[in-house]
Amino acid sequence: MGLSTKELAQIRELVSAGKRPRVMFTEAAGQIAGQVGHVVQLEDPKKHDDWILVKFGADVLPFPPSDLAMAPRGAVKKAAEPAPPAPPTPEFKVVREAPPAKSQAATPAAQEKKTTMSEADKTPADAS
């Protein structure tokens, strides 16, 4: 498969006219097979084997004619393999606990007061 001599002549005319013809990557192109790019420039085939410059995404990459085919009408650029969906995350309600309140019983001064008050309460009761 790949581009024929007639298709290459057609692409050359379109690029000369300032157009960017669409091409599809063949199986020979590897993992991007079946995806679509735009021809932006043709170089001298006598200097390089990969002489057709194709814009694919944000990159311009060189390819040989055997890696490309004319994109069928209505062909759209396939997205790269979509990432698997993320597992649903449970919604958590953030609950912040207030620091434990200091009770008066916990402090030594409060313990002392409590003891003192208890003894004061017992003394009059014992006296009677």
Side-chain angles (χ1 to χ4, degrees):
M1 207 155 130
L3 294 171
S4 68
T5 307
K6 182 180 175 184
E7 290 170 331
L8 287 169
Q10 181 183 10
I11 289 172
R12 188 174 305 280
E13 287 176 24
L14 291 170
V15 170
S16 296
K19 297 185 179 182
R20 296 172 29 179
R22 293 175 31 186
V23 290
M24 187 172 8
F25 300 100
T26 65
E27 292 295 322
Q31 68 186 36
I32 59 174
Q35 297 187 40
V36 176
H38 294 272
V39 176
V40 294
Q41 185 178 342
L42 298 175
E43 303 225 339
D44 185 358
K46 294 175 186 169
K47 291 185 179 180
H48 306 285
D49 290 335
D50 300 341
W51 55 277
I52 302 172
L53 299 178
V54 179
K55 181 169 176 60
F56 178 69
D59 299 323
V60 175
L61 305 168
F63 290 92
S66 60
D67 286 1
L68 305 171
M70 294 300 288
R73 291 190 183 265
V76 292
K77 184 193 279 187
K78 280 197 230 172
E81 226 176 277
T89 56
E91 292 185 27
F92 291 103
K93 187 174 183 179
V94 177
V95 178
R96 293 192 177 149
E97 293 183 24
K102 291 184 178 180
S103 67
Q104 289 185 350
T107 61
Q111 286 289 355
E112 193 174 306
K113 273 186 181 179
K114 189 174 181 180
T115 307
T116 308
M117 290 175 75
S118 297
E119 289 175 7
D121 289 340
K122 287 182 185 177
T123 309
D126 292 340
S128 336

